[in-house]
Amino acid sequence: MLRRSPFLGAIAAAVLLVLTMGHSALSKSIDGAAPATGRSLAATAGCGRTPTLKSGTQSIQTSGKNRSYILRLPDNYNANTPYRLIFAFHWLGGTAAEVDSGGTSGYPWSFYGLRQLSNNGAIFVAPQGFNNGWANSGGEDLVFVDDMIRRIEADLCVDTSQLFATGFSYGGAMSYAIACARADVFRAVAVFSGAQLSGCSGGGQPIAYMGLHGIGDTVLDISQGRSLRDRFVRNNGCTVQNPREPSSGSRTHIVTAYSGCRAGYPVVWAAFDNGHTPGPVDGTYTENGIATWTKGEVWKFFSQFDSDSSPGPTPTPTPTPTPTPTPVPGGCAAIIETVNSWPGGFQSTVTVRAGTGAINGWTVAWTWPGGQTISSLWNGVRSGSGADVNVRNESYNGSVAAGGTTTFGFTANGTAATPALSCSAS
């Protein structure tokens, strides 16, 4: 039997109610609700000013109603640094507070695990839906998002080319509605176990899209998630395919990156042998926000995108110097840096630098000194066994100009360590 999430008690019945409403009400046109802002500038009006917004619950008037959301600024927020802005939507019957706190899993699962992995590199928003859902009646939830963006960008330093949305179940449906209607505002979305429940106004533009869905989902069948995905396979010009999915009983997951997509508009599909949950764990039918692989995959998907333009004239502080790898002529070098740690785990960033000539691929290798194990990794492909680790480039970050750099990151279990690295180039 599949273990059901603790918040699923109301989902099945309410989803059936939503489905019986028909798509006409949910897909109602929202003409006149323009995107919150243009995406041509990388830094917002809030850059360089002392913010009035603080972390915590915020109230806002939108569409003639009082709405609320929880805002989380990075520790030591710097008004001269344009940050990613990530929206995370709760499930049916859930709350913004549960998204913020991470529920019983605590901080490592806050904002579906992305807040921890961001290492203070993003501003997070958890909106509160009407009746703990996202019916988006008349497009009012999209307008709510527009109004939050306006307010946040006017007061905080945001990189306008780095807006992202994610959510589970009904929250996934809302993220999909954003992909349809705000593709010119948001850079990418990640939809956990979603369906078309919040409408799809527009829906003809490309946007980077990631879908995650369980093959044993009895609340929102995986066929509904595939349908959402396929819209953006078409929009993004990807090669149509039937990506592999794990077999029932395998208790594993398979992540597929579509080929042939337009540059900058990837589509990724992650299918797993489990039910209606955002936190599956391989080898079991339980869910665990700490141990799940999904948070690393979503962060990997979001963090691959660079800013579309450089920050404006607002001066930035001199950064703290970090070690620089000394490249081998014609080859590459790599150096590892611990950027965050907690009891029983840590997060590291590895910088790869090309030598005197450009490289078209790289592999970094090391040996753990004390039983450490990687739990999630982004911007690289891991192989190796036991204490030996090999990480090679993804398809999008293998080419590095002479003297240039690229990075990958990971979270790991155990005591933080900085082993000696080797780098080979092709």
Side-chain angles (χ1 to χ4, degrees):
M1 294 292 291
L2 296 178
R3 179 179 180 273
R4 292 172 65 86
S5 303
F7 43 77
L8 293 183
I11 290 182
V15 166
L16 290 174
L17 175 61
V18 172
L19 292 174
T20 58
M21 291 170 61
H23 291 300
S24 59
L26 294 174
S27 305
K28 192 174 180 180
S29 172
I30 55 168
D31 293 341
T37 180
R39 299 295 99 184
S40 58
L41 298 177
T44 57
C47 293
R49 60 173 292 176
T50 301
T52 60
L53 290 172
K54 307 294 183 184
S55 291
T57 302
Q58 311 291 329
S59 297
I60 189 171
Q61 189 81 6
T62 175
S63 298
K65 301 175 181 178
N66 290 320
R67 302 290 297 264
S68 68
Y69 61 97
I70 295 176
L71 179 69
R72 290 295 168 197
L73 275 62
D75 296 337
N76 302 315
Y77 166 81
N78 189 324
N80 293 315
T81 299
Y83 291 92
R84 291 185 178 96
L85 181 59
I86 300 176
F87 285 79
F89 296 88
H90 62 74
W91 50 95
L92 180 62
T95 65
E98 289 174 288
V99 171
D100 174 53
S101 69
T104 57
S105 293
Y107 176 68
W109 190 232
S110 176
F111 289 86
Y112 299 104
L114 302 183
R115 188 174 168 212
Q116 181 187 45
L117 295 183
S118 74
N119 190 35
N120 289 308
I123 297 168
F124 287 90
V125 181
Q128 179 60 49
F130 277 133
N131 300 315
N132 301 99
W134 301 102
N136 193 29
S137 301
E140 64 181 349
D141 288 328
L142 284 167
V143 175
F144 178 31
V145 171
D146 293 342
D147 290 340
M148 284 186 286
I149 293 173
R150 287 191 186 94
R151 181 175 180 183
I152 292 167
E153 291 187 348
D155 195 70
L156 300 174
C157 195
V158 175
D159 183 340
T160 61
S161 68
Q162 295 280 287
L163 270 64
F164 303 90
T166 189
F168 167 60
S169 194
Y170 219 159
M174 185 62 203
S175 300
Y176 176 73
I178 285 173
C180 289
R182 298 294 183 266
D184 56 347
V185 176
F186 283 77
R187 185 66 185 85
V189 301
V191 175
F192 289 93
S193 306
Q196 188 170 324
L197 305 175
S198 304
C200 180
S201 177
Q205 292 181 270
I207 185 172
Y209 185 91
M210 181 176 190
L212 307 94
H213 218 113
I215 64 170
D217 194 330
T218 58
V219 177
L220 295 174
D221 188 80
I222 191 172
S223 62
Q224 298 186 70
R226 295 180 189 128
S227 177
L228 306 190
R229 172 203 68 196
D230 290 347
R231 173 183 292 274
F232 292 99
V233 169
R234 295 189 298 270
N235 289 358
N236 297 5
C238 307
T239 302
V240 176
Q241 65 181 89
N242 291 315
R244 290 177 56 238
E245 295 176 351
S247 59
S248 179
S250 65
R251 303 184 185 184
T252 59
H253 72 279
I254 298 176
V255 179
T256 302
Y258 274 73
S259 61
C261 303
R262 290 175 52 183
Y265 295 101
V267 172
V268 172
W269 177 245
F272 52 90
D273 180 28
N274 211 313
H276 194 65
T277 172
V281 178
D282 283 351
T284 176
Y285 283 133
T286 61
E287 60 179 3
N288 187 312
I290 297 176
T292 184
W293 51 269
T294 60
K295 59 186 179 182
E297 290 292 341
V298 173
W299 180 248
K300 170 184 172 181
F301 186 70
F302 284 172
S303 64
Q304 70 179 295
F305 302 107
D306 294 325
S307 175
D308 288 345
S309 56
S310 59
T314 305
T316 57
T318 301
T320 301
T322 55
T324 300
T326 302
V328 176
C332 63
I335 195 164
I336 187 171
E337 181 184 10
T338 301
V339 296
N340 195 9
S341 63
W342 55 90
F346 61 100
Q347 179 182 346
S348 295
T349 296
V350 176
T351 301
V352 178
R353 182 179 294 274
T356 55
I359 61 176
N360 294 316
W362 47 263
T363 300
V364 177
W366 70 88
T367 300
W368 287 121
Q372 294 85 354
T373 58
I374 291 177
S375 54
S376 64
L377 184 142
W378 51 95
N379 294 340
V381 179
R382 174 173 45 128
S383 61
S385 61
D388 296 326
V389 179
N390 291 275
V391 179
R392 62 177 173 82
N393 59 275
E394 290 275 12
S395 59
Y396 53 80
N397 63 355
S399 297
V400 184
T405 62
T406 188
T407 63
F408 66 89
F410 62 84
T411 57
N413 302 313
T415 303
T418 54
L421 309 184
S422 65
C423 185
S424 58
S426 57

